[in-house]
Amino acid sequence: MLEISQRGQAMPVSPFRKLAPYAEAAKAQGKTVYHLNIGQPDIQTPPQLLEAVQRAHIGVLGYSHGAGTESYRRKLAAYYQRTGIPAQFEDVMVTTAGSEAILFAFLTCLNPGDELIVAEPFYGTYTAFAIAAGVKIVTVTAHIEDGFALPPLADFEAVISPRTKAILLCSPSNPTGYVYRRDELEALLGLCQKHDLYLLSDEAYREYCYDGATATSALSLPGSEQHVVVMDTISKRYSACGARIGALVTRNQQVWTAAFRFAQMRISPPGLGMLLGEAAAELPPSYFDETRAEYQARRDLTVRHLRAMPGVSCPVPGGAFYVIARLPVDDAQLFGQWLLEEFSHENQTLMLSPANGFYQTPGLGQQEVRLAYVLNQRDLEAAMVCLAEALKVYPGRVELAEVQLSEAHAS
């Protein structure tokens, strides 16, 4: 009998798309569905990006260098330098979205059977990349009670084994919005230096930190040269998810060279996407002021509504555009399905991501959801009203002990 591979059988359903069939059915019934399940911003893609493609005189849309066009790599390096990251042109490899950068990092830095330490909850697709690369994810757990702050360093050290080859972080975090402080990053880098590990740093949301905070890149830390691999993308930074342009950035020449061999398998990254990327890299830093303020306003609206709902707990995210909330429900996945199948308020409902898909430890996240505050404030307000009304009538509502959020991360 023909069978698919063990990898194919183990590949999980996307945690932010698993309820999509129910959303499609709800729309077919005429309901308005507010999508808070996925990080697809409705912020306008900067017109300059699209104009760059429209103005291009392209006779033949051919292959580029496997690491991307030199012009884009140089402009991207200049962008990194403006943000305090000492990356040179030779350190930058253009990838087909941040997804490919993550996969290349796993394939380059770890062997099949090696272990990768990640704080949970984590970006659910890491699991898929780990399965594809034959890598085992080992978790330490962050908790909603302290705002999903970095777990104690001792927790990381306790799970280091002879098979451990890397620690993976995402800051600002998808799915929690937590922003790692510089001293926390330095501590993680010190642990990697002590145990001869790679530090893989997903920095897709670098520009979106709130309340005056800024993100620190792991590659900007002294002593990071051999240990740090940054995985990046323009998708969220410029609301250009469809461009599928990312980057792998490292000052470790051996890592870069090995990753480039993987890059040669797909010949080159998307040519039109790189034209968009070049235009994005030329935007002034002031571009982010307006979008950052808008996301912060959306965050404030979302958190204000959530905290006004009886039985709901959530920290205040410091960055990105996600919040994890604990709801007074028996099971967040069942609740999410019920929202789409059976509930509507003024013929409207919402789609969310059950948070158990962002944890690896069985049982965790069962009453938590990730909400992406990527919609305009009017639609976001309507979605929050729907959620509040749904919680009043959900038949699986349960009363939870109130979560005490630490002052350091609750406001």
Side-chain angles (χ1 to χ4, degrees):
M1 174 184 284
L2 290 173
E3 292 185 354
I4 62 171
S5 68
Q6 292 179 350
R7 287 190 300 272
Q9 295 178 53
M11 194 62 64
V13 176
S14 166
F16 34 86
R17 293 184 185 270
K18 63 172 64 174
L19 297 177
Y22 303 104
E24 291 165 3
K27 292 175 186 176
Q29 296 168 7
K31 294 180 186 177
T32 296
V33 178
Y34 295 109
H35 283 272
L36 306 188
N37 60 298
I38 194 167
Q40 171 57 68
D42 68 359
I43 299 284
Q44 183 185 24
T45 305
Q48 299 94 317
L49 277 61
L50 303 176
E51 290 167 2
V53 177
Q54 293 165 350
R55 290 196 309 267
H57 298 288
I58 301 172
V60 176
L61 186 60
Y63 295 128
S64 72
H65 188 284
T69 60
E70 180 173 343
S71 58
Y72 179 42
R73 290 167 66 199
R74 290 193 180 279
K75 289 177 182 177
L76 199 51
Y79 158 77
Y80 288 128
Q81 290 164 17
R82 290 196 300 272
T83 62
I85 301 172
Q88 304 300 316
F89 152 70
E90 297 83 2
D91 304 325
V92 176
M93 181 183 306
V94 184
T95 58
T96 306
S99 300
E100 190 175 71
I102 296 168
L103 181 60
F104 285 175
F106 284 17
L107 292 171
T108 300
C109 298
L110 298 99
N111 289 313
D114 283 346
E115 295 176 354
L116 171 69
I117 300 174
V118 189
E120 62 179 351
F122 57 80
Y123 175 47
T125 311
Y126 292 154
T127 300
F129 294 126
I131 291 170
V135 170
K136 179 183 178 183
I137 288 180
V138 176
T139 58
V140 296
T141 304
H143 302 280
I144 193 171
E145 290 82 2
D146 59 5
F148 296 107
L150 180 72
L153 211 62
D155 290 3
F156 285 86
E157 194 142 29
V159 297
I160 292 175
S161 78
R163 298 310 302 259
T164 305
K165 293 297 169 61
I167 295 173
L168 170 62
L169 64 91
C170 179
S171 180
S173 168
N174 175 6
T176 70
Y178 185 78
V179 181
Y180 285 41
R181 302 189 310 270
R182 184 180 183 90
D183 63 294
E184 292 174 323
L185 292 171
E186 290 172 341
L188 283 177
L189 177 59
L191 196 61
C192 290
Q193 293 169 328
K194 176 181 176 181
H195 294 277
D196 203 21
L197 308 176
Y198 291 106
L199 182 59
L200 310 182
S201 185
D202 184 343
E203 301 182 4
Y205 302 91
R206 176 186 304 110
E207 301 289 353
Y208 297 115
C209 298
Y210 311 121
D211 305 314
T214 56
T216 299
S217 171
L219 198 58
S220 70
L221 302 177
S224 64
E225 294 83 0
Q226 295 304 305
H227 295 271
V228 172
V229 180
V230 166
M231 302 161 296
D232 204 4
T233 176
I234 72 168
S235 291
K236 310 305 170 71
R237 188 168 301 137
Y238 304 103
S239 194
C241 297
R244 312 315 296 146
I245 288 293
L248 182 148
V249 189
T250 182
R251 300 172 71 189
N252 183 319
Q253 188 58 48
Q254 285 186 311
V255 170
W256 195 98
T257 300
F260 179 62
R261 297 192 190 109
F262 287 109
Q264 288 179 313
M265 291 192 303
R266 55 87 168 110
I267 313 300
S268 68
L272 295 180
M274 285 187 285
L275 291 177
L276 285 166
E278 284 199 40
E282 293 175 336
L283 290 174
S286 59
Y287 161 75
F288 298 104
D289 294 343
E290 183 176 348
T291 50
R292 187 183 300 112
E294 174 61 21
Y295 283 132
Q296 180 166 332
R298 295 178 182 189
R299 178 204 66 173
D300 293 345
L301 184 157
T302 303
V303 170
R304 182 174 68 252
H305 275 276
L306 288 171
R307 290 185 161 186
M309 298 176 197
V312 175
S313 302
C314 73
V316 179
F321 34 67
Y322 309 98
V323 59
I324 287 187
R326 182 174 292 170
L327 307 183
V329 298
D330 53 355
D331 184 284
Q333 185 160 323
L334 293 177
F335 175 66
Q337 183 175 334
W338 175 86
L339 280 171
L340 297 165
E341 282 193 309
E342 301 183 41
F343 172 81
S344 71
H345 173 68
E346 297 179 352
N347 207 36
Q348 302 173 97
T349 188
L350 70 150
M351 183 177 176
L352 42 72
S353 292
N356 62 345
F358 300 95
Y359 289 89
Q360 180 166 278
T361 303
L364 293 185
Q366 184 175 342
Q367 293 165 312
E368 296 173 5
V369 296
R370 188 197 73 169
L371 302 171
Y373 45 91
V374 292
L375 303 183
N376 63 78
Q377 293 182 53
R378 182 193 61 193
D379 287 352
L380 198 55
E381 179 97 26
M384 290 295 101
V385 170
C386 284
L387 180 58
E389 293 300 317
L391 288 172
K392 293 176 183 178
V393 298
Y394 177 56
R397 183 183 175 96
V398 298
E399 296 307 318
L400 301 177
E402 184 178 352
V403 175
Q404 298 296 323
L405 299 173
S406 72
E407 290 300 320
H409 304 288
S411 60

